């Protein structure tokens, strides 16, 4: 089991990944001097250093790491020490080429990058356990080490392997999950297309097939690949717990759906002692600060509301997107403090010193290749001192206050993303982003919940619960939501939710399956719209909206009121927005895709029904609250180009400069 919450072991962290093996020792001494100048309190060390730690099988070189740890400790800088198991050395792959992963098409990937790992391979597992053990035996009680960092960004760039070793491990995993072949055949629906299995040895991973591979087989394989990697993390974690008692263990997540889809972080969060996250702005034309807020809210939610740690982000541009613009003056601090506002116990970067070679040499760093006479360094040092002030003010351990809740499921996203859905443009992440943006623009802080965490949801705590898209919903979810609504909650559900169970099998009866009763309606038929096709939706109040992607034939039941109809298109006259009164609350259903101001207008209706009055602030200004025994901290984050005023609890109006962040502490 994970160790107790480790917040008393960690400072409010400011620093980054440190890779001294890329530099001679005289640079290390300069690094530590500059770290002190910048206010660095913590670094991540050793993450990619296996080849330096163990240059030949069983031969270890610790002198360099002893020296670096000593320099850091003397300077008062804490260390998040990594197990280097994301990149085994070249000699390992020469001896064990079958530890390299195989693609679905049967191609074995080569050494020369990072994360080229078959997580089922016994030789990799043994070698990872050994390097973790010897590292912990040497440094488990080192006074500089306050956190252990296992591996690096599981799932990036690859998580699943389709080799024969994985095939055997998959069969073992399936025996545990389904118990019998009859149960597996039932869960996978193998009667369709004559896919029944009569022996466990007949089952393989979902490799390349002539047509669409069995969807539940694919879904189970995603779960299996995730579980295999998680088992490897747990194995390393348990070694560290045994040999380095009292020091918490983590691995860096990439929680934002914009960063990847391979890992179920609700499951992983149960295994770490401290949730940490890496986040990078995606230059895809979206409002990047909204994605940042979503990522931070989702990370905090994965952590169960507890403080977490931003372990990586960028000082300015990255190097791995098609286009990598620099951050504007003040944007780095605004990004960093935005994460802190939403629960992070500091701001860490990749990396401390910019690399001069390798694949990420154009990735910006705290210390640029050009040295310290530049804007980036001045902003880094200013931010470091500001984080130090917050630490001294007692911010550590306080918790961010959420206003509304939203349901998100990686497992459902996996299922919905498989082939042959009613429209290839269905996109759970797009609905998540769109509903989140509407709430963000109402200056509301969102707590996320898994679909399995709704049984005791209190409407007094969360008057509004949004389900942006939950294609896969276990049967019990409907009853949980009915209980929430009946006790006074307001529920807002978007289309294509509640359709299948955890085996990607349609719930019996009419759509929307598991949510049919709580929504008080049935859907007779899906009628997706073609690319470029749009329909009008008219509210009973006269409001007119433009919808695309989706329409359907909705039949309201008793107590279900139609609030808007399709005004044209193939479903003309049919309900597009409904409200089902149930007990003391109400369940809303939106049967099409609205975006932008149109979606925001529907969200406003649900907020009003829930009795929530949004904060009166300009667009792109955040007001987020952290509170605890040390007091209440109000973070005002201004993403606009002009000064804004925010109203504080005492009625006073405080100025927040253009592009700036002001933090107000309530008087005791």
């Amino acid at each position: 089991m994970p160790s107790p919450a480790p917040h008393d072991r960690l400072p409010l962290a400011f620093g980054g990944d440190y890779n001294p093996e890329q530099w001679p020792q005289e640079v290390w001494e300069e690094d530590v001097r500059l770290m002190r100048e910048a206010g660095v309190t913590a670094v991540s060390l050793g993450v990619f250093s296996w080849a330096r730690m163990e240059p030949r099988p069983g031969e270890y070189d610790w002198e360099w790491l002893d020296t670096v740890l000593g320099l850091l400790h003397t300077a008062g800088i804490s260390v998040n020490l990594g197990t280097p198991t994301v990149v085994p050395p070249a000699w390992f792959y020469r001896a064990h080429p079958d530890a390299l992963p195989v693609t679905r098409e049967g191609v074995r990937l080569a050494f020369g990058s990072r994360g080229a790992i078959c997580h089922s391979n016994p030789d990799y597992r043994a070698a990872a356990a050994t390097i973790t053990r010897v590292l912990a035996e040497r440094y488990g009680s080192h006074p500089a080490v306050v956190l252990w960092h296992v591996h690096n960004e599981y799932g990036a760039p690859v998580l699943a392997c389709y080799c024969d070793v994985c095939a055997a491990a998959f069969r073992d995993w399936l025996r545990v999950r389904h118990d019998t072949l009859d149960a597996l055949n039932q869960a996978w629906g193998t009667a369709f297309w004559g896919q029944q299995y009569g022996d466990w040895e007949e089952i393989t991973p979902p490799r390349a097939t002539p047509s669409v591979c069995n969807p539940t087989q694919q879904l189970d394989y995603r779960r299996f690949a995730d579980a295999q990697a998680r088992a490897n993390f747990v194995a390393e974690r348990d070694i560290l717990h045994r040999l380095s008692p009292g020091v918490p263990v983590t691995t860096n997540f990439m929680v934002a759906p914009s960063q990847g889809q391979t890992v179920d972080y609700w499951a992983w969060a149960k295994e770490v002692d401290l949730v940490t996250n890496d986040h990078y702005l995606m230059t895809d034309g979206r409002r990047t600060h909204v994605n940042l807020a979503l990522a931070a809210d989702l990370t905090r939610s994965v952590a169960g509301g507890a403080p977490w740690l931003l372990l990586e982000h960028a000082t300015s541009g990255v190097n791995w997107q098609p286009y990598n613009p620099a951050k504007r003056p003040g944007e780095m601090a605004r990004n960093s403090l935005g994460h802190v506002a939403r629960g992070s116990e500091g701001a860490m970067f990749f990396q401390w010193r910019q690399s001069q070679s390798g694949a990420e040499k154009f990735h910006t760093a705290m210390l640029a290749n050009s040295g310290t006479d530049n804007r980036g360094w001045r902003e880094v040092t200013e931010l470091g001192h500001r984080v130090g002030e917050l630490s001294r003010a007692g911010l550590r351990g306080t918790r961010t206050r959420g206003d509304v809740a939203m349901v998100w499921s990686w497992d459902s996203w996996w299922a919905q993303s498989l082939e042959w859905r009613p429209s290839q443009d269905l996109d759970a992440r797009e609905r998540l982003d769109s509903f989140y943006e509407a709430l963000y623009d109402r200056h509301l802080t969102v707590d996320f919940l898994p679909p399995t965490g709704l049984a005791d949801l209190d409407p007094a705590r969360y008057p509004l619960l949004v389900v942006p898209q939950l294609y896969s919903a276990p049967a019990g979810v409907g009853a949980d939501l009915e209980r929430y609504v009946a006790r006074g909650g307001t529920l807002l559900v978007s289309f294509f939710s509640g359709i299948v169970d955890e085996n990607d099998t349609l719930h019996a009866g009419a759509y929307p399956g598991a949510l049919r009763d709580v929504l008080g309606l049935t859907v007779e038929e899906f009628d997706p719209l073609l690319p470029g096709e749009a329909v009008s939706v008219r509210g009973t109040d006269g409001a007119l909206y433009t919808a695309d992607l989706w329409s359907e034939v909705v039949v309201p039941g008793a107590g279900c009121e139609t609030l808007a109809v399709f005004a044209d298109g193939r479903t003309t006259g049919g309900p597009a927005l409904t409200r089902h009164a149930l007990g003391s609350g109400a369940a809303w259903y939106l049967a099409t895709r609205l975006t932008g101001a149109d979606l925001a207008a529907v969200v406003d209706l649900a907020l009003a029904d829930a009795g929530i009055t949004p904060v009166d602030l300009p667009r792109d200004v955040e007001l987020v609250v952290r509170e605890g025994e040390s007091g209440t901290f109000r973070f005002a984050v201004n993403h606009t180009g002009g000064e804004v005023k925010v109203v504080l609890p005492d009625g006073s109006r405080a100025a927040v400069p253009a592009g700036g962040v002001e933090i107000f502490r309530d008087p005791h």
Side-chain angles (χ1 to χ4, degrees):
M1 293 295 292
S3 301
H7 306 126
D8 59 341
R9 291 296 315 275
L10 296 173
L12 200 58
F14 182 71
D17 279 48
Y18 185 35
N19 299 290
E21 63 271 23
Q22 299 177 18
W23 308 93
Q25 183 167 340
E26 57 267 25
V27 176
W28 306 348
E29 294 166 356
E30 180 190 26
D31 281 334
V32 172
R33 178 182 63 79
L34 290 174
M35 286 178 188
R36 288 176 60 87
E37 181 180 325
V40 167
T41 60
V43 296
S44 299
L45 183 66
V47 176
F48 300 108
S49 303
W50 194 339
R52 182 68 184 267
M53 294 176 183
E54 190 179 7
R56 286 165 294 279
E59 297 181 20
Y60 300 101
D61 176 8
W62 301 121
E63 183 178 358
W64 70 278
L65 191 52
D66 289 347
T67 300
V68 172
L69 282 168
L71 289 170
L72 292 167
H73 181 58
T74 300
I77 298 170
S78 298
V79 173
N80 167 30
L81 187 56
T83 68
T85 51
V86 67
V87 183
W91 58 255
F92 171 81
Y93 286 117
R94 184 180 181 187
H96 307 289
D98 56 347
L100 290 162
V102 174
T103 69
R104 192 176 179 186
E105 293 73 27
V107 176
R108 190 175 294 278
L109 301 177
F111 176 71
S113 178
R114 67 172 194 178
I117 294 165
C118 168
H119 282 283
S120 301
N121 184 271
D123 296 311
Y124 168 76
R125 289 184 162 194
T130 297
I131 189 66
T132 299
R133 175 181 56 77
V134 296
L135 193 65
E137 287 173 343
R138 187 169 188 89
Y139 300 112
S141 59
H142 195 289
V145 177
V146 300
L147 181 66
W148 285 99
H149 176 185
V150 170
H151 203 268
N152 183 73
E153 294 181 341
Y154 281 96
V158 62
L159 189 75
C161 170
Y162 295 81
C163 71
D164 288 340
V165 173
C166 286
F170 183 44
R171 289 188 286 269
D172 290 341
W173 184 87
L174 290 171
R175 287 186 180 96
V176 174
R177 179 171 178 83
H178 296 288
D179 190 38
T180 67
L181 270 177
D182 286 344
L184 179 139
N185 281 312
Q186 179 67 29
W188 284 14
T190 56
F192 185 76
W193 281 1
Q195 297 173 357
Q196 293 98 328
Y197 295 101
D199 190 286
W200 289 103
E201 295 302 311
E202 296 167 0
I203 301 172
T204 65
R207 295 165 175 152
T209 51
S211 184
V212 173
C213 185
N214 184 300
T216 315
Q217 180 183 2
Q218 293 188 67
L219 181 57
D220 265 355
Y221 204 75
R222 278 183 175 264
R223 294 164 174 159
F224 158 76
D226 183 49
Q228 289 295 93
R230 193 163 63 250
N232 284 349
F233 166 79
V234 168
E236 292 187 46
R237 180 204 67 193
D238 289 350
I239 292 169
L240 295 169
H241 277 174
R242 176 170 55 84
L243 297 175
S244 185
V247 179
V249 182
T250 190
T251 186
N252 46 341
F253 292 173
M254 295 182 294
V255 170
S258 58
Q259 315 283 183
Q261 191 185 7
T262 57
V263 173
D264 182 352
Y265 288 111
W266 293 120
W268 280 75
K270 298 174 183 177
E271 304 297 346
V272 298
D273 301 328
L274 172 70
V275 167
T276 63
N277 193 51
D278 297 353
H279 182 264
Y280 294 95
L281 300 182
M282 306 300 291
T283 53
D284 58 2
R286 308 184 190 212
R287 296 161 69 200
T288 55
H289 55 278
V290 181
N291 176 270
L292 184 154
L294 186 156
D297 280 348
L298 187 50
T299 305
R300 181 186 68 254
S301 302
V302 162
W308 53 280
L309 179 60
L310 176 66
L311 205 55
E312 286 185 28
H313 71 314
T315 54
S316 190
V318 298
N319 67 291
W320 40 264
Q321 299 186 71
Y323 308 97
N324 299 286
K327 293 182 179 179
R328 304 279 75 83
E331 186 177 0
M332 179 193 66
R334 194 165 66 250
N335 291 165
S336 301
L337 294 173
H339 284 286
V340 173
R342 295 176 187 272
S344 177
E345 296 283 63
M348 303 277 282
F349 295 90
F350 182 85
Q351 55 183 324
W352 160 252
R353 179 182 284 270
Q354 184 180 355
S355 297
Q356 289 189 311
S357 60
E360 295 190 273
K361 57 182 171 290
F362 294 114
H363 193 297
T364 56
M366 299 176 76
L367 179 60
N369 192 50
S370 59
T372 59
D373 188 16
N374 53 66
R375 173 176 67 87
W377 175 254
R378 289 187 288 273
E379 291 195 7
V380 162
T381 56
E382 289 169 6
L383 178 61
H385 296 148
R386 194 165 188 188
V387 171
E389 291 171 359
L390 286 172
S391 189
R392 290 186 291 274
L395 183 73
R396 253 182 53 219
T398 59
R399 296 195 173 206
T400 301
R401 180 198 302 166
D403 301 305
V404 297
M406 186 178 288
V407 175
W408 175 249
S409 167
W410 279 275
D411 196 80
S412 178
W413 190 21
W414 294 343
Q416 184 176 320
S417 299
L418 296 172
E419 307 95 333
W420 287 11
R421 301 316 185 203
S423 169
Q424 70 174 14
D425 294 331
L426 283 164
D427 185 346
R429 181 198 154 191
E430 182 277 329
R431 287 291 78 193
L432 170 74
D433 288 346
S434 294
F435 276 92
Y436 182 90
E437 187 169 10
L439 294 168
Y440 175 93
D441 284 341
R442 271 72 191 146
H443 312 287
L444 297 168
T445 302
V446 178
D447 286 344
F448 289 89
L449 300 169
T452 54
L454 307 175
D456 299 314
L457 192 61
D458 184 2
R461 176 67 186 87
Y462 298 114
L464 176 66
L465 175 65
V466 178
V467 181
Q469 205 150 70
L470 186 66
Y471 163 72
S472 173
V477 170
D480 292 342
L481 292 176
E482 283 187 70
R483 187 160 47 249
Y484 164 76
V485 174
R487 294 167 57 203
T490 300
L491 174 68
L492 174 58
V493 177
S494 182
F495 63 92
F496 209 54
S497 294
I499 307 303
V500 300
D501 65 12
E502 61 273 22
N503 292 317
D504 198 36
T505 297
L506 292 173
H507 288 288
Y511 306 134
L515 306 186
R516 187 170 57 236
D517 292 340
V518 68
L519 295 174
L521 53 80
T522 58
V523 174
E524 288 189 350
E525 189 174 20
F526 299 142
D527 192 7
L529 304 180
L530 300 177
E533 189 177 6
V535 296
S536 298
V537 172
R538 186 178 301 278
T540 54
D541 58 358
L544 191 65
Y545 313 110
T546 300
D548 66 359
L549 180 69
W550 191 263
S551 67
E552 56 190 28
V553 180
V554 176
V555 180
C560 185
E561 176 186 7
T562 297
L563 299 179
V565 298
F566 291 103
D568 52 36
R570 294 182 294 273
T571 53
T572 299
L577 177 66
T578 62
R579 178 184 184 275
H580 180 216
L582 181 65
S584 302
W588 294 62
Y589 181 62
L590 181 59
T592 188
R593 184 171 78 171
L594 302 180
T595 56
D598 288 343
L599 178 60
V602 170
V603 169
D604 283 340
L605 294 174
L607 287 169
D609 204 18
I612 297 173
T613 303
V615 179
D616 183 17
L617 282 173
R619 191 172 191 256
D620 291 326
V621 176
E622 304 176 25
L623 187 59
V624 183
V625 178
R626 283 185 65 158
E627 54 195 358
E629 292 183 2
S630 60
T632 298
F633 298 81
R634 300 178 188 275
F635 287 72
V637 185
N638 182 5
H639 298 282
T640 77
E643 180 182 279
V644 298
K645 296 290 183 66
V646 298
V647 179
L648 300 178
D650 62 4
S652 63
R653 295 172 61 83
V656 184
V661 180
E662 294 293 336
I663 303 164
F664 307 99
R665 188 174 182 182
D666 290 2
H668 285 291

